[in-house]
Amino acid sequence: AQSVSQHNHHVILSEAASLELGCNYSYGGTVNLFWYVQYPGQHLQLLLKYFSGDPLVKGIKGFEAEFIKSKFSFNLRKPSVQWSDTAEYFCAVNASPGGYQKVTFGTGTKLQVIP
Amino acid sequence: GAGVSQSPSNKVTEKGKDVELRCDPISGHTALYWYRQSLGQGLEFLIYFQGNSAPDKSGLPSDRFSAERTGGSVSTLTIQRTQQEDSAVYLCASSSKPGTSWSSYNEQFFGPGTRLTVL
């Protein structure tokens, strides 16, 4: 069965610091990978996604993620965070592209950016 | 509206009562998912619908939980004899059918959730 691990549960950064949130998945085949974000009081929304091709994926608001197949990782990065990036971030994986659309989510990482 | 809607937004109930939570997916989306978000627990998958059938119910925590979907659209999640541990935010998401657009395939669009509090 597919699973997703997010090792950082709570991250606190000052504005302008660089961000990297870890995500590892367990599945040896073809995967679709996602990062979702939930801002305080708002819906979960898609931040970025990887389907195929260039393993470096760029999303909204200056976020990017790199798919490293050999490490089963899909870490989220941002060079310089802002206070408005305070949110909870969820990594997700679909290990059956083209078939059943079940997506497994990680437990989330709460990011707090201090002005 | 264009997004996923859920009702009620908040529900407070007494232990032992039954509750029904409703989800209206995005029009045309054939896949529908229910999740539970508990404090500190992340997103817990409950059930997945493709059309009106539920090929994966593996996440339902107990037989007190059931869900149905009619007309390939609206879905209802029912919790019978609620317990305090059922308190959580219940999220619904929908996605399009494979093949309509690879770029949109599998992206799940979430509703605002129903916050359930069992006293």
Side-chain angles (χ1 to χ4, degrees):
Chain A
Q2 60 197 36
S3 66
V4 180
S5 298
Q6 291 183 246
H7 308 296
N8 312 105
H9 299 294
H10 196 181
V11 173
I12 301 173
L13 294 173
S14 298
E15 275 192 313
S18 64
L19 170 72
E20 182 160 2
L21 300 183
C23 173
N24 288 90
Y25 64 94
S26 64
Y27 185 75
T30 303
V31 293
N32 297 151
L33 295 158
F34 309 86
W35 276 96
Y36 281 82
V37 61
Q38 188 171 28
Y39 297 102
Q42 296 189 24
H43 304 191
L44 265 166
Q45 59 185 282
L46 185 67
L47 195 57
L48 50 77
K49 59 192 177 188
Y50 170 79
F51 284 80
S52 63
D54 189 346
L56 185 60
V57 178
K58 296 193 183 297
I60 61 172
K61 303 184 179 183
F63 285 90
E64 64 179 31
E66 185 174 12
F67 170 50
I68 303 179
K69 189 173 182 180
S70 61
K71 295 185 178 180
F72 298 92
S73 70
F74 191 55
N75 292 356
L76 181 70
R77 301 193 294 246
K78 186 171 183 177
S80 176
V81 295
Q82 301 172 319
W83 177 79
S84 58
D85 294 325
T86 295
E88 190 162 13
Y89 294 81
F90 294 89
C91 182
V93 62
N94 171 37
S96 57
Y100 170 33
Q101 298 186 57
K102 181 176 181 177
V103 174
T104 301
F105 285 83
T107 53
T109 297
K110 289 186 178 177
L111 172 65
Q112 183 179 357
V113 180
I114 301 170
Chain B
V4 177
S5 60
Q6 292 185 246
S7 61
S9 55
N10 279 286
K11 177 70 176 180
V12 179
T13 190
E14 293 178 349
K15 178 181 173 181
K17 301 282 189 183
D18 297 352
V19 295
E20 282 191 354
L21 312 179
R22 177 188 168 105
C23 172
D24 281 272
I26 292 173
S27 178
H29 279 189
T30 58
L32 186 147
Y33 313 78
W34 282 99
Y35 295 91
R36 181 166 68 175
Q37 188 175 23
S38 306
L39 195 62
Q41 298 296 316
L43 270 79
E44 177 187 4
F45 167 80
L46 297 178
I47 187 169
Y48 157 70
F49 285 93
Q50 182 61 44
N52 290 337
S53 64
D56 189 347
K57 306 178 183 179
S58 62
L60 295 177
S62 73
D63 58 8
R64 297 187 294 105
F65 287 72
S66 62
E68 65 174 12
R69 190 179 184 194
T70 55
S73 182
V74 172
S75 176
T76 303
L77 177 69
T78 301
I79 309 173
Q80 295 178 310
R81 304 180 304 281
T82 52
Q83 304 294 313
Q84 288 183 331
E85 61 262 29
D86 299 335
S87 296
V89 176
Y90 289 82
L91 293 171
C92 175
S94 70
S95 66
S96 61
K97 181 178 178 179
T100 55
S101 169
W102 180 250
S103 65
S104 65
Y105 178 59
N106 276 346
E107 177 177 347
Q108 297 187 18
F109 295 84
F110 283 82
T114 294
R115 183 175 296 278
L116 174 66
T117 303
V118 182
L119 301 177

